[in-house]
Amino acid sequence: MIDWSAFGIVAVVTWISAMLIVTAYSFGVRLLAVAKDDAKSTGLSKAGAYFCFAVAGLIVAFGVVLIVPQLSEALLGFSSSH
């Protein structure tokens, strides 16, 4: 028997997470492009770009922690496997 409500929750969370990762990464790429185009605020643009890349990486790392039962049990104190 398929648990359709759980399937729907996973689909929605996956979609939202993918959108957040793509948005953060695109902002990072855009800020790096701005840093090369305009020499006024190069440091601020690069810092913002690296922050956006870090946010995207953290979202991916959190997803891996949630997927791998050993990591979620060790780091979060619960396991997603039943």
Side-chain angles (χ1 to χ4, degrees):
M1 180 104 189
I2 297 174
D3 186 6
W4 289 104
S5 63
F7 181 77
I9 290 171
V10 169
V12 168
V13 169
T14 302
W15 184 76
I16 291 171
S17 301
M19 294 302 292
L20 288 175
I21 292 168
V22 169
T23 301
Y25 193 80
S26 356
F27 275 132
V29 169
R30 180 65 185 142
L31 285 172
L32 277 182
V34 167
K36 286 184 180 180
D37 288 344
D38 191 12
K40 292 180 182 176
S41 61
T42 302
L44 184 62
S45 296
K46 282 186 178 180
Y50 296 141
F51 177 76
C52 289
F53 292 145
V55 167
L58 285 174
I59 294 171
V60 171
F62 186 66
V64 170
V65 168
L66 288 178
I67 290 172
V68 179
Q70 291 85 7
L71 287 176
S72 63
E73 189 171 327
L75 297 176
L76 302 175
F78 67 92
S79 177
S80 59
S81 64
H82 296 277

